Amino acid sequence: MRAFRYRRPADVDEAVALLDADPEAAYLAGGTNLVDLMKLGVQRPDLLVDVTRLPLDTVETLPDGSLRVGATVRNSDLAAHPVVRRNYPVLARALLAAASGQVRNMATTGGNLLQRTRCVYFQDTGKACNKREPGTGCAARHGQNRDLAILGWSEQCVATHPSDLAVALAALDAVVEVAEVGGTREVPLVELYRSPGEHPEQETTLPRGALVTAVRIPPLPAAGRSAYLKVRDRASFAFAVGAVAAVLDLDAGVVRDVRLAYGAVAHRPWRALRAEAELRGRPFTPELAGRAADVELEAAVPLAHNAFKVPLVRAITVRALTQLAEAAA
Ligand code: SF4
């Protein structure tokens, strides 16, 4: 591992200034992804700016009913928070489906959202990877790509985003609060991430040095009835092969509102807006759920080893929505 310097800033402004001044600096939060990548030589920061002592570790309900989650709130604490468990079960379930208890005790909200892909070629410094080293090629495109994307990929990168939390937050229309040089701003979570395009090394829309300080989840009464289904190769401590976050609001059996997002299928959490449009205003049936998934998945272009993801995502869409509909009956 490359030797690095360590700083613990006194406040958010100092943290942002430290990152802005050093192009090889990185923020350190729970360290559950960054430290692994440093050991592998994939990331080689010369300065770690430790943000874990900044006052960003609270969960609060705002006057408008939104839930504001500080960026350093640990995944375990967020999953156990009574408001999350009651009002946003999709969020609690997504968090609890991720990693292990020990990792969730360390991992933070902001770090979870900004974790790097688990593409095995990205983690292997001996393999070509445009994300790790722009212009070197993509070993996964015609290599082992079973776990990788079916939607929105490019010839330059077929990686998926590994976060379960981001998928749930995409379905909930969450907004990310960001501090950067010159001030603060808010970014809808689905606009935080880029598609790979020609520059897969550019993963987010955040400028250099920007620090995620909080995530705000708008009030959504229907989210009290929500679900997260994750398919993985073993029962725990595994990344998703496919996942769906779903919120379903029925009025006398008719879909009044629905939110759907997919995980492990694209470079970003995939909000399934076309499926939602297909469902809204129609009497819910499992067949309708399947047709809605088909509409969304028309855009899917599987790779050599992951065509199975198309029927898998269809199946978990039907299962999640049907379970929610049955619970509402
Ligand atoms: Fe790298 Fe993306 Fe190709 Fe994986 S899929 S090897 S991360 S460029």
Side-chain angles (χ1 to χ4, degrees), residues 67-232:
L67 190 69
R68 187 173 184 275
V69 181
T72 62
V73 172
R74 307 283 176 174
N75 288 179
S76 294
D77 293 336
L78 186 58
H81 195 280
V83 175
V84 171
R85 289 165 59 95
R86 183 177 65 245
N87 295 353
Y88 306 100
V90 62
L91 191 54
R93 288 172 188 153
L95 286 160
L96 293 173
S100 65
Q102 290 92 336
V103 172
R104 293 194 294 270
N105 287 343
M106 290 299 294
T108 63
T109 301
N112 187 314
L113 297 181
L114 297 177
Q115 64 182 295
R116 312 295 302 277
T117 183
R118 290 331 194 264
C119 172
V120 294
Y121 300 103
F122 173 72
Q123 296 179 334
D124 183 345
T125 56
K127 297 291 193 302
C129 174
N130 288 322
K131 185 182 287 296
R132 180 171 26 78
E133 288 184 59
T136 58
C138 172
R141 174 67 184 89
H142 299 291
Q144 288 298 321
N145 48 39
R146 171 185 180 272
D147 295 336
L148 301 180
I150 58 172
L151 287 161
W153 54 267
S154 72
E155 288 296 328
Q156 282 66 43
C157 181
V158 294
T160 52
H161 195 273
S163 170
D164 295 291
L165 172 62
V167 179
L169 291 174
L172 294 170
D173 286 325
V175 172
V176 178
E177 298 178 9
V178 178
E180 56 193 36
V181 174
T184 60
R185 65 184 168 123
E186 299 184 344
V187 185
L189 181 119
V190 292
E191 296 176 16
L192 180 69
Y193 301 100
R194 292 177 187 270
S195 294
E198 296 294 316
H199 293 285
E201 77 280 8
Q202 297 173 6
E203 296 178 340
T204 74
T205 56
L206 300 179
R208 168 81 201 156
L211 176 66
V212 171
T213 53
V215 175
R216 209 177 61 252
I217 308 167
L220 181 64
R225 186 167 289 121
S226 58
Y228 188 76
L229 288 187
K230 172 175 177 176
V231 177
R232 45 190 161 174

